[in-house]
Amino acid sequence: MQAELTSPTRQRLLDAAFRVCSEQGIHGATTREIADVAGVNEVTLFRHFGNKEKLIAALFEHVLANLTESLNITEVDAHDLERDIFRYALRYHEMLTANEALIRTILGEAKRHPEQARQVMCEAGRSLRERLIDYLRAAQNAGSVREDVDLGPALDAFTGMLLAGMLRRTSFKSYIDYSADEYLHTVVDLFLRGIAATPSPDKPLSKAQSA
């Protein structure tokens, strides 16, 4: 049984489910089409997962694990607030862009699968969020971030801008006259101006360089 849980066939089925759900939506995806894309028959799919609901649950767990891994930053912080926050923003942006199709699917079907959607959209970034909160709390103690800033809502607003930017750019690319890099720098600039202990209104923050 354990071998089946980690078998190449199971992985092919999960990869196929990812592809089909990204293209057709979770509700529109069928077990027959997923099995066809995986190159197996439908009976094999049911042997591994039982039914479509269990397959989708396994898919969400699989996606959650992959997103969590992609957001795992192992580099040591530079202790330069702007430089470090930009690096976090860049990593988050790369994760969103790489998983755009499935993220759109999850957002579109959040009412149908609320718990799974919450897990993917919230739990995947939990470790990164906790690391950022610890980082900013240390910056508060050092006096570079305002003591009255509630870090949780501030970070949610920050990542919300990054998500909105990805959705806008991929939906209306021909109507946007600025680059993704310019957008990231603007988001970081606005965020830092909002939390900085001593903002300088007459001197714009310099652009951070990606680490």
Side-chain angles (χ1 to χ4, degrees):
M1 181 65 179
Q2 183 62 32
E4 284 193 357
L5 293 177
T6 57
S7 73
T9 300
R10 178 185 171 88
Q11 185 59 52
R12 288 209 312 276
L13 284 164
L14 287 172
D15 291 341
F18 181 98
R19 175 179 166 184
V20 175
C21 287
S22 295
E23 295 174 352
Q24 307 293 335
I26 296 171
H27 183 63
T30 66
T31 53
R32 180 181 296 277
E33 184 174 5
I34 291 171
D36 286 345
V37 171
V40 301
N41 58 48
E42 206 172 5
V43 172
T44 299
L45 183 152
F46 291 135
R47 187 173 71 246
H48 280 270
F49 297 100
N51 54 44
K52 179 182 175 180
E53 288 70 28
K54 291 181 180 179
L55 169 60
I56 296 303
L59 173 62
F60 274 111
E61 290 180 5
H62 179 63
V63 170
L64 176 60
N66 287 343
L67 295 185
T68 300
E69 182 178 358
S70 72
L71 289 173
N72 181 29
I73 294 180
T74 58
E75 300 95 326
V76 176
D77 292 321
H79 299 293
D80 177 317
L81 192 60
E82 185 183 359
R83 185 184 184 89
D84 289 334
I85 294 301
F86 182 81
R87 181 160 53 89
Y88 284 117
L90 182 62
R91 179 64 65 87
Y92 198 80
H93 168 76
E94 290 172 345
M95 179 277 291
L96 292 173
T97 302
N99 296 278
E100 176 216 343
L102 190 64
I103 287 173
R104 286 184 179 278
T105 295
I106 292 169
L107 290 174
E109 302 203 23
K111 288 185 178 180
R112 192 184 301 273
H113 300 277
E115 181 58 24
Q116 292 93 332
R118 182 194 66 79
Q119 283 186 326
V120 172
M121 298 308 297
C122 299
E123 298 298 324
R126 179 180 293 276
S127 62
L128 179 64
R129 186 176 188 272
E130 290 175 349
R131 178 169 173 174
L132 265 172
I133 286 178
D134 289 342
Y135 177 88
L136 292 174
R137 187 172 290 119
Q140 280 182 323
N141 294 334
S144 55
V145 170
R146 289 179 12 231
E147 292 183 358
D148 63 327
V149 173
D150 191 335
L151 298 178
L155 278 176
D156 288 345
F158 177 58
T159 54
M161 284 192 288
L162 295 173
L163 173 60
M166 182 277 287
L167 294 174
R168 184 182 301 108
R169 171 163 295 280
T170 53
S171 297
F172 310 107
K173 189 173 183 179
S174 61
Y175 296 97
I176 294 177
D177 59 358
Y178 51 82
S179 68
D181 186 67
E182 288 174 312
Y183 182 81
L184 288 179
H185 281 297
T186 299
V187 169
V188 171
D189 181 62
L190 290 172
F191 178 65
L192 292 180
R193 286 177 182 275
I195 68 172
T198 55
S200 178
D202 58 345
K203 183 179 180 181
L205 293 170
S206 61
K207 286 188 175 181
Q209 301 299 318
S210 58

